[in-house]
Amino acid sequence: MRRSSSPALAALALLCCALPTTAQDLVRLELVDRDQGQVLTEYRHRGTGWVAGTPGHRYAVRLTNTTGARVLAVLSVDGVNAVSGETAAPGQAGYVLGPWESAEIGGWRKSLDRIAQFVFTDLPDSYAARTGRPDDVGVVGIAVFRERERPLLPPPPPPPVARAAQGVAPAAEARRADRAMAAAPLGTGHGASEWAPVGQTRFERASRQPDQVTVLRYDRWDSLVALGVLPRARRWDGPRHPQAFPGGFVPDPPRR
């Protein structure tokens, strides 16, 4: 399927194949907090990437093709295929990215025209748990396939403006996490319906096994502190004086 005119999404490929293996990063995987317009900072811990999500915030999975050829990315959220709703496996449907293309996948694919938004939520409210599959909540993954022989294209010129900063200052994240609900595993909910059209295209995989498998885990900020992914906030010895510019961005007020 060819990509639609929407800048946010790539096309869907409805083909099959099989099992995972790892290789170079053909596709870069990032999570974007849509309510803040921020790429969530990735923290490495014991070989695994982690990001801190905020309960109630919508998010998107940003996929960036780093090659001059088309690739297929099968997207798994909480162990569920984000296109078909099946328990995820590499041989299932996925998104086709054109050469050097970046796409933001904002939700569960409901049709060629609509998605149900990805929303950070408590585990019992996650789509996976509500459909009887809670064991893999808290992880986003992609299985990436090369396409059979197509000519490579040169990379596009650099964008005229700088990209957004990678996440919010840790102190601001910690303060927001303090206002969040009691720590509990974080999952991805089946949010509001949103118009996000895509088209269909044919894609012949170059191999039965993925050329890349990438996994990114997520949880609340305070849970990542408890797991040792993030350091505990430093405490000042003396009283803290109000600051005019304490850093960060404007968070949503706590829910009443």
Side-chain angles (χ1 to χ4, degrees), residues 131-184:
T131 55
R133 296 169 288 181
D135 293 343
D136 298 303
V137 168
V139 61
V140 174
I142 51 173
V144 181
F145 295 84
R146 290 185 172 93
E147 188 173 22
R148 288 200 183 277
E149 288 301 315
R150 276 177 174 255
L152 297 180
L153 298 180
V161 294
R163 293 180 60 188
Q166 300 286 304
V168 192
E173 286 278 5
R175 287 195 296 272
R176 185 168 65 249
D178 289 341
R179 293 192 294 269
M181 296 177 288

Side-chain angles (χ1 to χ4, degrees), residues 8-253:
L9 291 171
L12 287 173
L14 307 176
L15 294 171
C16 290
C17 278
L19 299 167
T21 184
T22 55
Q24 63 182 7
D25 283 345
L26 307 176
V27 173
R28 185 167 64 249
L29 170 64
E30 298 168 300
L31 299 192
V32 180
D33 186 316
R34 297 178 66 193
D35 289 335
Q36 291 188 317
Q38 295 269 330
V39 175
L40 295 176
T41 302
E42 179 180 344
Y43 302 93
R44 302 296 298 180
H45 181 67
R46 297 180 179 176
T48 301
W50 292 81
V51 298
T54 302
H57 280 209
R58 300 170 304 152
Y59 78 90
V61 180
R62 178 181 291 171
L63 304 176
T64 303
N65 182 359
T66 64
T67 77
R70 296 202 312 170
V71 295
L72 167 66
V74 180
L75 174 61
S76 168
V77 176
D78 292 351
V80 178
N81 185 302
V83 172
S84 67
E86 301 168 276
T87 298
Q92 297 167 346
Y95 286 93
V96 173
L97 299 170
W100 314 106
E101 182 179 11
S102 182
E104 290 189 8
I105 315 303
W108 308 100
R109 176 60 49 189
K110 305 299 291 183
S111 70
L112 291 177
D113 295 321
R114 304 198 73 82
I115 58 172
Q117 295 170 351
F118 292 145
V119 182
F120 289 123
T121 189
D122 289 333
L123 188 153
D125 292 330
S126 68
Y127 177 73
R130 290 173 63 188
T131 55
R133 296 169 288 181
D135 293 343
D136 298 303
V137 168
V139 61
V140 174
I142 51 173
V144 181
F145 295 84
R146 290 185 172 93
E147 188 173 22
R148 288 200 183 277
E149 288 301 315
R150 276 177 174 255
L152 297 180
L153 298 180
V161 294
R163 293 180 60 188
Q166 300 286 304
V168 192
E173 286 278 5
R175 287 195 296 272
R176 185 168 65 249
D178 289 341
R179 293 192 294 269
M181 296 177 288
L186 200 59
T188 298
H190 185 277
S193 178
E194 178 179 320
W195 188 69
V198 294
Q200 293 183 310
T201 189
R202 297 187 62 84
F203 186 96
E204 185 179 0
R205 305 179 195 213
S207 65
R208 290 185 57 83
Q209 293 197 353
D211 296 288
Q212 172 193 339
V213 173
T214 299
V215 172
L216 188 59
R217 298 188 65 181
Y218 66 90
D219 211 329
R220 303 168 189 269
W221 181 274
D222 48 353
S223 295
L224 299 192
V225 171
L227 289 170
V229 177
L230 299 175
R232 296 189 180 276
R234 296 180 61 183
R235 305 290 182 181
W236 297 103
D237 295 330
R240 183 185 182 282
H241 298 291
Q243 303 293 315
F245 301 98
F249 295 87
V250 179
D252 291 339

